[in-house]
Amino acid sequence: MSAAPREAIRVNGREEPFAAASVAELLAGHGIAAGTFGVAVALNGAVVPRRRWSETLLQPGDSLEIVRPLQGG
């Protein structure tokens, strides 16, 4: 008897519950507003242009990379 598959998504290499319908919704859940500059997003290895964040839907098993600059030296 096997366990039911867990609905999850990978964000920056870490698994988390699948709880957002779109890239924009997931980013908002991570405290990144739609108008935030200097943020790049890749979904399953393909860059998602900012203008498509709200229309790009997520599915369980997707892998999302969020890249933003860090201050320091």
Side-chain angles (χ1 to χ4, degrees):
M1 194 178 210
S2 63
R6 214 170 84 188
E7 290 194 351
I9 189 168
R10 281 186 106 38
V11 178
N12 290 347
R14 299 185 126 174
E15 191 173 288
E16 63 180 59
F18 177 70
S22 68
V23 169
E25 192 176 316
L26 184 134
L27 292 173
H30 282 263
I32 302 170
T36 304
F37 289 101
V39 176
V41 175
L43 176 61
N44 299 323
V47 173
V48 180
R50 177 184 309 276
R51 68 183 180 280
R52 303 196 112 186
W53 288 356
S54 62
E55 65 189 53
T56 302
L57 302 179
L58 300 173
Q59 300 292 320
D62 280 345
S63 179
L64 194 81
E65 294 294 324
I66 304 167
V67 180
R68 52 186 159 176
L70 298 175
Q71 290 183 328

